[in-house]
Amino acid sequence: PADLTADAIPNTSARMTWKAPVGAETPTTYVLETGSASGKNDVATFIIPGNVTTTDRAGVPGTFFLRIYARNACGTSSPSNEVSITLQ
C-alpha cells in the first residue's frame, strides 16, 4: 500500500486512507498497525478487508503512529509510509 493518510475526526476518531498496491496480487486483507512512537506497533492492530482503502477508527486522546501492510496468499507486503495523528 502507498500514500497512507490519517485525518482526525471530532470526538477522538480517525479516518485512514491509502492506495492499493500496484502490479501485485490483490490483497485479501490489510493490517493497520498503531504505535505510541515511530516504528512501534504497541497500541493496536486492525485487520481490514482487502476490498477497501479507507477505514474510520475510534480512539483515545493522544498522538499515534500508523502504517499499513497488504496481505494475501503470497505473504505480507512491506509497510506503507508511516503517518502520525493527534486525537483530542
Side-chain angles (χ1 to χ4, degrees):
D3 299 330
L4 176 64
T5 62
D7 298 302
I9 300 171
N11 302 320
T12 64
S13 294
R15 172 167 290 151
M16 284 68 65
T17 304
W18 61 92
K19 291 182 181 174
V22 176
E25 294 291 325
T26 303
T28 53
T29 59
Y30 290 102
V31 180
L32 176 65
E33 292 184 342
T34 307
S36 62
S38 181
K40 288 191 168 189
N41 63 349
D42 58 346
V43 174
T45 299
F46 301 99
I47 306 300
I48 301 163
N51 62 342
V52 299
T53 55
T54 298
T55 188
D56 292 349
R57 298 290 165 174
V60 296
T63 299
F64 304 96
F65 296 81
L66 311 164
R67 72 208 62 73
I68 195 160
Y69 300 81
R71 186 182 287 166
N72 62 23
C74 296
T76 302
S77 72
S78 299
S80 69
N81 57 299
E82 183 178 78
V83 297
S84 65
I85 187 168
T86 300
L87 302 179
Q88 299 181 10

